[in-house]
Amino acid sequence: MKPATIDRRTLIAGLAGGALVGCAPRISGLAAPVSGDGRLIETAAFPSRHIGAQRITIWLPPGYDAGRGRYGVLYMHDGQNLFDPTRSGFGKVWAVDKAVTRLTAKRAIDPVIIVGVWNTGKDRYRTYFPQALYEDAPPPLRAEFDRLAGGPVISDAYLRFLVEELKPAIDRDYRTRPDPRRTSIMGSSMGGLISLYAIARHPNVFGNAGCVSTHWPLGDPAKVGPLDAEVAALWRRFVARELAEPRGRRIWFDHGDQTLDAAYGPYQKRIDAQLAELGWREGRDMKTKVYPGTAHEENSWAARMDEVLTWLLAKGD
């Protein structure tokens, strides 16, 4: 089947309309043609009171337009790296639309709508860095975070955008199942961090989080070492304070062992042990998987999407 891609001749780069006070702005943008693998819709500048205008790409699964059913929603970061290699920053993508289509055909999962929020390049680090961790860091470590961020950390504002503005618009303009059990969030590296932060800070919105190749060192692993004591302490306090017991939430964790992922194992083991102490059960509330021989890049994440999504989006009432 022909993959669903954006037709540049029909894409419009206009602002999403609607008032910013009292109601969520409308999703606008001219869709790509319908194909056997779903349909993409894009708006170039979805406005926000909390953060700068965001580029959004929405994927509607096969059958959406012909039916009346309602769908769970998967929110994803780094939206330009999800669907079309020609628009990705690295020439490769997660191909998450293809994974959902395959798994739906096998009846392994129910179909979902995917909402990809593009990163803005230079602001990615400060947008995805959990603000609670930044504020809890000792001054020397915070100074290193400041250097990497290149500006104030704005992840709380980004989450407010997702929760207060984008999700209400998606739930209004599309046939969604808006409850937390059917609302998931996922990203890789720094995107894994902000996904964990989202399910910690907004458990009544996001019921499932996919934390793929999560960047646990927070900074440059070459500088902080394989398991930095201060960073590990930050994480221990964060998990105890922000996550605590599962309360029905489910989190997928994974990492490889090459390139940046080589630094993640010691952190992940400590996170897993602490979550177990807090009552999170492996396989029920959380799942951690190591992929030997895999690196920190989109092709590696695409190769494991079937397994990730089968667990994260497990069918149920």
Side-chain angles (χ1 to χ4, degrees):
M1 292 186 293
K2 182 181 177 182
T5 57
I6 292 286
D7 182 344
R8 286 177 176 76
R9 294 173 299 178
T10 62
L11 183 67
I12 61 173
L15 293 175
L20 284 175
V21 178
C23 69
R26 292 281 174 184
I27 301 289
S28 69
L30 194 60
V34 177
S35 83
D37 286 331
R39 180 161 67 92
L40 292 174
I41 299 170
E42 186 165 300
T43 186
F46 188 103
S48 171
R49 298 186 303 272
H50 305 301
I51 198 170
Q54 302 292 298
R55 192 170 195 132
I56 310 295
T57 302
I58 301 163
W59 179 76
L60 301 177
Y64 177 90
D65 294 291
R68 296 183 179 180
R70 293 192 170 272
Y71 295 78
V73 182
L74 172 61
Y75 291 86
M76 296 188 69
H77 317 288
D78 297 315
Q80 62 265 57
N81 300 331
L82 302 179
F83 308 112
D84 184 352
T86 67
R87 311 179 85 216
S88 166
F90 309 99
K92 49 192 176 181
V93 294
W94 292 54
V96 67
D97 53 332
K98 296 180 178 61
V100 169
T101 301
R102 280 194 305 272
L103 293 171
T104 302
K106 296 176 182 177
R107 299 186 178 181
I109 65 171
D110 291 325
V112 293
I113 296 168
I114 302 169
V115 179
V117 183
W118 290 43
N119 74 62
T120 56
K122 62 183 178 63
D123 292 328
R124 182 176 184 271
Y125 184 90
R126 69 194 192 103
T127 302
Y128 294 171
F129 192 110
Q131 203 149 338
L133 282 165
Y134 173 83
E135 293 171 355
D136 191 35
L141 193 55
R142 192 182 303 177
E144 172 62 10
F145 297 154
D146 287 339
R147 183 188 69 80
L148 292 167
V153 172
I154 54 174
S155 55
D156 282 353
Y158 177 65
L159 291 186
R160 290 192 69 183
F161 159 70
L162 294 180
V163 169
E164 298 176 14
E165 295 170 331
L166 181 60
K167 186 178 186 295
I170 296 295
D171 289 339
R172 183 196 59 219
D173 294 346
Y174 298 94
R175 299 191 313 272
T176 70
R177 299 176 68 179
D179 58 287
R181 177 68 183 86
R182 294 296 180 175
T183 306
S184 307
I185 190 162
M186 182 162 67
S188 63
S189 193
M190 297 296 294
L193 293 179
I194 193 65
S195 298
L196 185 64
Y197 194 40
I199 202 172
R201 279 293 168 99
H202 298 283
N204 295 326
V205 176
F206 302 109
N208 313 292
C211 303
V212 176
S213 291
T214 308
H215 191 62
W216 300 115
L218 301 175
D220 181 355
K223 290 187 176 182
V224 301
L227 184 61
D228 181 81
E230 286 187 333
V231 174
L234 275 181
W235 277 117
R236 184 158 189 86
R237 293 193 296 271
F238 175 88
V239 170
R241 182 179 63 242
E242 303 282 347
L243 282 173
E245 67 277 359
R247 301 197 302 275
R249 293 170 294 177
R250 302 171 76 249
I251 305 176
W252 169 281
F253 298 107
D254 70 36
H255 63 84
D257 60 4
Q258 305 297 310
T259 61
L260 269 179
D261 279 31
Y264 297 162
Y267 290 96
Q268 187 68 65
K269 288 179 180 178
R270 291 201 176 193
I271 296 288
D272 291 350
Q274 186 179 0
L275 287 172
E277 291 171 2
L278 293 169
W280 294 70
R281 289 179 53 185
E282 171 70 22
R284 184 192 69 180
D285 311 307
M286 56 173 285
K287 178 74 174 177
T288 294
K289 186 71 181 286
V290 181
Y291 292 89
T294 62
H296 192 90
E297 51 89 35
E298 282 72 15
N299 287 339
S300 294
W301 302 326
R304 58 194 189 242
M305 269 304 96
D306 284 24
E307 188 170 11
V308 175
L309 295 174
T310 296
W311 189 87
L312 192 68
L313 306 179
K315 296 181 73 169
D317 296 332

